[in-house]
Amino acid sequence: MGLTKQYLRYVASAVFGVIGNQKANIAFVTLRGGEKGRYVAVGACEHVFIWDVRKAEKVLILEGKKHEVTYLCPSPDGVHIAVGYEDGGVRIFSLLNGESNISFSGHKSAVSVIRYDALGARLVTGSRDTDVIVWDIINECGLYRLKGHKDAITQILFLESKNLLITSSKDSFVKWWDLDTQHCFKTMVGHRTEVWGMVLLNQESRLITGSADSELRAWDIQYIEEVRQYHSCYFSQGKEVGEPQEKKVRTLLEDDEEGLDEEPEERILSCKKAGSVLREARDRVVSLVTDAKAKVLACHGLDATLEVFTVLSEEEVQKKMDRKLKKAKKKTKCVRPLSQGGGEDVPELVVERKLSDEIQKLANIKASSKIRSMDCLLVPNGEMKVALLLQNNTVETYTLKTSEKNPTGTKTSRLTLGGHRTDVRTLAFSSDNIAILSASGETVKVWNRSTLQVIRTMGCEYALCSLFVPGDRQIILGTKSGKIQIFDLASGSLLETTDAHDGALWSMCLSPDQRGIVTGGADKTVKFWDFELIKDRDSGKSKRLTVKHTRTLQLDEDVLCVRYSPDQRLLAVSLLDCTVKIFYTDTLKFFLSLYGHKLPVLCLDISHDSALIATGSADRNVKIWGLDFGDCHRSMFAHDDSVMFLQFVPKTHLFFTAGKDRKIKQWDADKFEHIQTLEGHHREVWCLAISPNGDHIVSSSHDKSLRLWERTREPIILEEEKEMEREAEFEESLAKGDEPVVPGETKGEAEPAGKKTIETVKAAEQIMEAIELYREESEKLEEHRATCKAAGKEVRALPQPRQMYSNSYIFPSVIYHYILWVSLILSTVFLFSELEVSLLVLPFPYVPDLLKLFNGYVQQGLEVELVCRCLFFLLRVHFGQITSNQMLLSVIDELRTNTISKVREIRDVLGFNSAGLQFLQREIESKEDVMFFADATDRFEEKKRKRRKRERAVLTVT
């Protein structure tokens, strides 16, 4: 039996080159009580990067799994940050250590918005699947799902004082939800297009909405109870009110009475349009944001301009109206008739209050590129800090002094060094495997592979191909304009620009003897160049590298790719006519024509022994040919989209392909087998490069990221890989099945927050296996008792089987109790809402045994809270079958008695402990004059502010 071929696994090593992902928003965060406005959080593919904008450094990475980040929301206390992902999942990370201990899964598609309540105890998420889910962070479970919108959710706001929720959607509706009753009590239909953003102003009494036009609509929120209290306070108690106020109150009451007859939703609040604020931009609103106290309003569209408005307080508005009234009185003077004694009289004037008197334009901030997201922060000295995430992979921060009359935005920092502005279209490794070259439409960067830091950044034209010159001291780029650019790495300067082709220079290859290069372009020519050293005109003494044109091969079609055979005997050229021509290098005579692809060949490579040539085409196929006769050995369907790049691993017949389907695949050219797939990129993969020793791969994508992959010592067994792929496909199809339905319940606005996943299905299977084991052990125990009784012997316990789990803190009396209980514990590793889905999937024949076990657990006092939650859910789901089963009558009666008594005992213990802690707190505070918790934090912050003031005063005196 011959030896099998061993393949080694490549794994993801690092993600770099991306500063901020355009899909996610940007948010200010605070690290370890640091300065506010110094750190920003941005999404970076599946990770979250925390940047120090002052030092332009990456200080923390919150590592994700495989799905792209779509939304970020810091908690009110600044200690945690909630991250939404493309698959609908939500994870909460700690900003102290970067770990994630809480995760939610309830949405079917990408999370579009996340919002905390004021205390940080509840989290509300909206998604593209049109659902809104309310989560309980403390209990780590989903409370309920709110359904009613017909398109993706764009914004969510809390009305803390009334426990209400406002949601906006792309269906042009704004819905108001009562979280106490979990229903929608009002739908605003005043928008003709999608509602893209909302904010609350004036202590939650005004709503500002932004849609697809240049108008920001303002809506006044008036609670019906407050109107009635206002009415009773001023009219029933006989207090005098000004005529305008009385008229306003009476109007609101009349509207209220009419609304009570016509629309029941007006019983909670009324929301009427108060006016509009016009923006300068004509496109849709992308972001609409206020600071924490809603003193400043900022918005932007699809362009590079950020518009900033100031929201005046009630005192400032009143002063402004008084000034207007004085001016009106000066202008208006009327003269009395002579019959009445003559003279002048000034009539009583009323100045109309407009929305423009409350919201005023402050300034415009012009960014260097189109804005994708923004966040703002107002510091105590009146300075506004703005963070902008731009479309070209850049983060910029600005400051704006709101106290000035005509403020202007000042740019304070710009993060650009860690990435390219446009997509990277070419990559190359140095000969020592240490340096990585990446070139895009405006810059070329050289990276250190081990530290992933930028060594050199040089401006260039739109680069399409690149390579390191032998010696790794210079690099050569081929550009879209057909030029060859030579850069010196030591000085970071451009040495020479040579006009090589009349069209785009698509491909470049170093000759095996390392004395020159060959280039192919859109002008239907292949040109040969030799390296030369010439005297530098600037210095006069030193020499610099240049290229000298030696030969030209004229062809009938545009050249897309050229490659030398390693023995330098042949030259392979792919043409726009879907063929690959093979020529002799020395005489340029035609040797072979490889035809069979239906679309042009975009990439090709030749193996190290010059025996095989592999071609990748836009028709999604990869063909392997023999270079001796030009016969096609095998044609393989490689990718779901165009094959963009192909390269052999040095000194092997293994090769990698990259496609527009976001995947990188490894193949065996001898056995024609697919070895492994490298998944990680979230957009089209443009190119890749393999290090000379074959241990590392770097790839670039349309998501602006560069990914480094490294070869491990772990072998790959192809049969296991194929089996794992089949299992993953089966699990994915299983999770996408129909959602379980609670019998007897109709679908309404509020539904359970859980979602059927492969984890919930596995948890249900674990519970069923444990119950089966419980039944088997029960039968064995009964047989043992019967045998002992028949023989007249004493009944002894069966020998305990070997423990299968390490959770030794639970000691039930019987081993099968222990196994079942551990299975329930394993089921709650995720969320209780997911455990509910697992229990919902559980068939009813398993429920009676589960209820009997629950009774025993409650009697023993084992995890009473969890057991009660599971018990109540099962009773609600299987109510009809349980009540009609006479065998379960005694079990339910015992459960009723035991649960009431045990829950009362636990409640008494908690109440006693709470009272004891409060007593101890009062004693310590009275003895030592120490304030706990929030008071101590406030005092600490006050001391810090005083110390900063003293330091500023000392600096000023100095």
Side-chain angles (χ1 to χ4, degrees):
M1 181 177 177
L3 292 175
T4 59
K5 199 168 186 177
Q6 188 182 40
Y7 307 107
L8 297 180
R9 187 182 301 277
Y10 284 82
V11 296
S13 175
V15 179
F16 62 105
V18 57
I19 295 175
N21 190 8
Q22 298 179 18
K23 266 199 169 183
N25 60 314
I26 187 172
F28 278 112
V29 295
T30 306
L31 293 183
R32 298 179 182 88
E35 179 184 350
K36 290 185 177 180
R38 180 172 177 177
Y39 303 99
V40 295
V42 293
C45 297
E46 67 269 23
H47 306 309
V48 176
F49 290 168
I50 310 295
W51 292 92
D52 184 345
V53 295
R54 181 181 296 177
K55 296 182 179 180
E57 292 180 354
K58 195 186 305 176
V59 294
L60 185 63
I61 299 178
L62 309 178
E63 295 186 358
K65 294 180 179 177
K66 66 176 183 177
H67 296 285
E68 197 171 8
V69 175
T70 56
Y71 202 85
L72 306 173
C73 180
S75 62
D77 57 4
V79 179
H80 298 89
I81 184 170
V83 183
Y85 293 93
E86 184 77 26
D87 64 336
V90 178
R91 298 176 69 190
I92 298 178
F93 290 88
S94 170
L95 292 174
L96 301 177
N97 52 20
E99 295 180 355
S100 171
N101 296 322
I102 303 175
S103 62
F104 301 120
S105 177
H107 292 290
K108 296 179 181 177
S109 58
V111 176
S112 57
V113 61
I114 303 175
R115 189 71 62 208
Y116 277 95
D117 66 351
L119 298 177
R122 288 181 300 176
L123 191 72
V124 181
T125 59
S127 170
R128 293 179 191 167
D129 61 4
T130 73
D131 291 347
V132 177
I133 301 180
V134 183
W135 307 92
D136 186 348
I137 298 177
I138 297 174
N139 291 323
E140 300 183 17
C141 67
L143 297 178
Y144 40 82
R145 181 192 305 265
L146 303 176
K147 302 176 75 71
H149 283 289
K150 303 300 182 184
D151 208 334
I153 309 297
T154 57
Q155 188 58 274
I156 296 174
L157 297 174
F158 265 108
L159 282 171
E160 301 292 345
S161 58
K162 301 294 181 180
N163 197 25
L164 304 179
L165 196 69
I166 313 173
T167 60
S168 65
S169 170
K170 290 170 67 175
D171 60 4
S172 77
F173 296 143
V174 176
K175 288 183 176 290
W176 301 69
W177 306 83
D178 188 347
L179 297 184
D180 293 329
T181 58
Q182 303 166 21
H183 81 288
C184 175
F185 65 89
K186 185 178 182 63
T187 300
M188 286 171 49
V189 293
H191 302 86
R192 297 181 179 179
T193 55
E194 302 95 336
V195 182
W196 291 100
M198 296 188 303
V199 291
L200 286 170
L201 303 177
N202 300 346
Q203 297 178 350
E204 300 182 351
S205 64
R206 173 161 290 163
L207 179 69
I208 305 292
T209 59
S211 58
D213 51 18
S214 60
E215 188 179 356
L216 296 179
R217 294 169 176 82
W219 310 81
D220 281 337
I221 304 172
Q222 186 67 41
Y223 299 102
I224 304 302
E225 295 177 0
E226 292 181 0
V227 175
R228 288 172 175 166
Q229 290 174 4
Y230 192 78
H231 175 266
S232 61
C233 176
Y234 281 99
F235 292 106
S236 65
Q237 296 180 10
K239 294 189 178 181
E240 295 183 359
V241 187
E243 186 176 345
Q245 291 179 338
E246 182 180 351
K247 185 178 179 181
K248 180 180 179 181
V249 172
R250 292 189 186 280
T251 304
L252 285 170
L253 283 170
E254 290 172 2
D255 293 341
D256 178 27
E257 291 171 1
E258 293 175 1
L260 287 175
D261 296 335
E262 296 176 1
E263 298 182 11
E265 64 214 27
E266 296 292 340
R267 294 177 182 175
I268 298 177
L269 56 82
S270 64
C271 186
K272 295 190 175 181
K273 189 173 181 181
S276 299
V277 178
L278 292 179
R279 301 163 45 232
E280 292 183 4
R282 298 300 177 188
D283 49 9
R284 74 171 180 90
V285 171
V286 175
S287 297
L288 187 62
V289 181
T290 63
D291 65 301
K293 296 183 179 180
K295 292 183 178 179
V296 177
L297 173 68
C299 68
H300 70 88
L302 296 171
D303 55 4
T305 303
L306 176 70
E307 300 182 47
V308 183
F309 300 86
T310 180
V311 182
L312 301 181
S313 63
E314 189 63 32
E315 293 80 7
E316 293 172 335
V317 174
Q318 193 60 44
K319 289 180 182 178
K320 190 174 182 180
M321 299 307 295
D322 292 341
R323 289 195 298 268
K324 279 190 174 184
L325 187 59
K326 287 181 181 179
K327 288 182 181 180
K329 285 181 178 180
K330 287 181 181 179
K331 291 181 180 179
T332 308
K333 290 183 179 180
C334 65
V335 181
R336 291 181 183 177
L338 291 175
S339 60
Q340 298 180 8
E344 295 181 356
D345 186 18
V346 179
E348 184 178 357
L349 296 175
V350 178
V351 180
E352 185 183 357
R353 181 169 171 174
K354 299 179 180 179
L355 186 64
S356 58
D357 298 325
E358 303 177 27
I359 302 175
Q360 294 181 345
K361 184 68 173 290
L362 193 63
N364 283 351
I365 296 177
K366 183 73 174 179
S368 60
S369 181
K370 291 182 179 180
I371 305 173
R372 299 298 298 173
S373 176
M374 62 86 57
D375 195 14
C376 65
L377 185 69
L378 200 62
V379 294
N381 61 1
E383 189 178 57
M384 177 185 176
K385 295 184 177 181
V386 179
L388 303 179
L389 175 62
L390 306 184
Q391 191 176 12
N392 62 352
N393 195 28
T394 306
V395 171
E396 291 181 349
T397 58
Y398 293 82
T399 57
L400 191 72
K401 294 183 178 180
T402 57
S403 57
E404 295 181 356
K405 191 173 183 180
N406 295 314
T408 56
T410 305
K411 187 185 295 185
T412 55
S413 64
R414 190 165 185 254
L415 304 180
T416 58
L417 187 63
H420 291 269
R421 309 285 73 77
T422 56
D423 294 356
V424 173
R425 301 307 296 259
T426 176
L427 292 165
F429 261 102
S430 61
S431 59
D432 56 3
N433 309 291
I434 293 178
I436 299 173
L437 164 67
S438 64
S440 63
E442 80 296 330
T443 55
V444 53
K445 291 179 180 287
V446 180
W447 310 74
N448 186 315
R449 180 188 54 78
S450 57
T451 63
L452 301 179
Q453 297 297 318
V454 179
I455 302 172
R456 284 285 182 272
T457 300
M458 298 159 284
C460 67
E461 295 185 16
Y462 197 114
L464 296 176
C465 51
S466 63
L467 55 85
F468 277 91
V469 176
D472 299 333
R473 294 184 179 181
Q474 294 89 15
I475 59 174
I476 300 179
L477 301 182
T479 68
K480 195 173 182 179
S481 59
K483 297 178 181 178
I484 295 176
Q485 290 187 316
I486 305 176
F487 292 87
D488 181 60
L489 292 183
S491 61
S493 59
L494 175 64
L495 296 180
E496 184 181 80
T497 300
T498 304
D499 293 328
H501 294 269
D502 294 334
L505 200 160
W506 289 112
S507 182
M508 179 189 301
C509 182
L510 180 68
S511 62
D513 60 4
Q514 299 187 347
R515 293 183 179 180
I517 59 174
V518 59
T519 60
D523 57 355
K524 304 178 182 179
T525 59
V526 175
K527 295 187 178 182
F528 297 82
W529 310 80
D530 287 341
F531 294 135
E532 281 191 354
L533 291 175
I534 61 172
K535 287 187 177 181
D536 193 352
R537 294 180 181 177
D538 297 334
S539 62
K541 295 182 179 179
S542 61
K543 293 185 177 181
R544 65 173 178 84
L545 181 72
T546 184
V547 290
K548 180 182 178 182
H549 181 218
T550 56
R551 294 185 295 172
T552 300
L553 175 62
Q554 188 67 40
L555 297 167
D556 297 331
E557 297 288 342
D558 292 5
V559 178
L560 299 180
C561 187
V562 292
R563 284 293 182 272
Y564 273 115
S565 62
D567 58 6
Q568 205 169 342
R569 188 174 68 93
L570 302 173
L571 179 71
V573 182
S574 71
L575 303 177
L576 198 61
D577 61 359
C578 309
T579 63
V580 176
K581 308 289 186 185
I582 311 295
F583 298 90
Y584 289 104
T585 304
D586 50 0
T587 61
L588 298 183
K589 287 185 177 180
F590 175 75
F591 174 50
L592 293 171
S593 178
L594 311 179
Y595 55 90
H597 284 289
K598 298 177 181 178
L599 291 174
V601 176
L602 303 179
C603 51
L604 60 89
D605 199 14
I606 301 175
S607 61
H608 69 286
D609 54 3
S610 302
L612 299 175
I613 177 172
T615 58
S617 169
D619 62 5
R620 303 176 290 178
N621 291 320
V622 168
K623 293 182 184 292
I624 301 172
W625 318 75
L627 267 181
D628 44 4
F629 301 108
D631 54 326
C632 180
H633 292 180
R634 184 65 63 92
S635 178
M636 299 178 292
F637 183 78
H639 292 268
D640 296 329
D641 209 331
S642 301
V643 182
M644 299 301 297
F645 206 86
L646 185 150
Q647 187 175 350
F648 274 96
V649 178
K651 300 179 182 179
T652 66
H653 278 185
L654 308 178
F655 65 92
F656 281 89
T657 59
K660 280 188 176 181
D661 59 354
R662 311 176 185 183
K663 296 177 182 178
I664 300 171
K665 296 185 178 182
Q666 187 183 16
W667 307 84
D668 188 345
D670 292 331
K671 296 186 175 180
F672 317 116
E673 287 184 325
H674 171 225
I675 301 172
Q676 65 173 328
T677 301
L678 305 180
E679 294 184 355
H681 283 293
H682 302 284
R683 295 291 181 277
E684 299 92 336
V685 183
W686 297 128
C687 59
L688 60 85
I690 303 176
S691 61
N693 58 8
D695 287 340
H696 297 91
I697 301 172
V698 63
S699 57
S700 72
S701 169
H702 186 48
D703 59 13
K704 299 289 195 303
S705 69
L706 302 176
R707 290 181 180 264
L708 189 64
W709 316 80
E710 63 179 12
R711 184 164 57 188
T712 63
R713 301 299 105 187
E714 178 188 355
I716 295 178
I717 302 174
L718 296 183
E719 289 75 12
E720 291 183 1
E721 290 291 314
K722 293 176 182 178
E723 183 65 26
M724 289 172 61
E725 288 181 4
R726 285 193 293 268
E727 288 181 1
E729 291 177 0
F730 172 73
E731 291 176 356
E732 188 176 356
S733 63
L734 186 66
K736 287 183 179 179
D738 295 334
E739 292 291 328
V741 180
V742 179
E745 287 195 3
T746 58
K747 288 192 175 182
E749 292 178 342
E751 293 183 2
K755 181 182 72 170
K756 181 182 176 183
T757 60
I758 186 59
E759 286 81 11
T760 60
V761 175
K762 287 181 178 179
E765 291 176 354
Q766 283 183 338
I767 296 173
M768 288 189 285
E769 289 175 2
I771 294 176
E772 292 287 349
L773 183 59
Y774 159 69
R775 291 173 177 172
E776 293 175 5
E777 294 292 330
S778 299
E779 292 175 0
K780 290 180 182 179
L781 185 60
E782 290 298 327
E783 292 177 1
H784 177 66
R785 285 175 178 172
T787 305
C788 293
K789 190 175 181 180
K793 296 181 181 178
E794 182 182 354
V795 180
R796 296 181 180 179
L798 285 172
Q800 300 278 331
R802 184 172 56 88
Q803 285 192 354
M804 300 170 62
Y805 300 95
S806 60
N807 299 49
S808 57
Y809 60 89
I810 303 174
F811 297 99
S813 58
V814 187
I815 189 63
Y816 45 79
H817 280 201
Y818 172 67
I819 295 175
L820 176 61
W821 188 240
V822 169
S823 299
L824 285 174
I825 292 293
L826 291 176
S827 301
T828 58
V829 168
F830 311 103
L831 290 172
F832 183 74
S833 58
E834 296 183 2
L835 177 60
E836 285 184 346
V837 180
S838 301
L839 294 174
L840 191 59
V841 175
L842 196 68
F844 180 75
Y846 293 93
V847 173
D849 293 321
L850 206 53
L851 294 178
K852 294 176 183 177
L853 289 169
F854 282 169
N855 189 23
Y857 295 148
V858 171
Q859 287 179 350
Q860 298 174 26
L862 296 173
E863 297 289 343
V864 176
E865 181 184 357
L866 177 62
V867 171
C868 287
R869 293 172 76 176
C870 296
L871 172 64
F872 299 152
F873 180 77
L874 287 175
L875 290 176
R876 181 167 65 89
V877 171
H878 302 286
F879 178 78
Q881 291 173 291
I882 291 175
T883 53
S884 61
N885 192 338
Q886 295 293 328
M887 303 294 293
L888 294 176
L889 183 61
S890 59
V891 178
I892 296 298
D893 190 41
E894 291 181 10
L895 278 170
R896 178 179 61 83
T897 307
N898 294 332
T899 51
I900 291 175
S901 61
K902 285 296 180 182
V903 170
R904 186 179 290 121
E905 287 179 11
I906 293 174
R907 187 179 59 187
D908 293 342
V909 170
L910 290 176
F912 181 82
N913 292 340
S914 177
L917 290 173
Q918 291 175 5
F919 173 75
L920 292 175
Q921 178 182 352
R922 288 194 299 269
E923 288 293 316
I924 295 174
E925 288 177 354
S926 61
K927 287 181 180 179
E928 302 181 5
D929 192 21
V930 175
M931 301 298 290
F932 279 163
F933 308 122
D935 298 334
T937 306
D938 294 340
R939 288 190 176 187
F940 178 69
E941 292 292 335
E942 187 176 353
K943 286 181 181 179
K944 283 179 65 177
R945 284 196 295 270
K946 289 181 179 179
R947 186 173 69 250
R948 288 176 183 172
K949 284 184 180 179
R950 287 198 300 269
E951 291 175 355
R952 291 196 193 101
V954 171
L955 289 173
T956 305
V957 171
T958 305

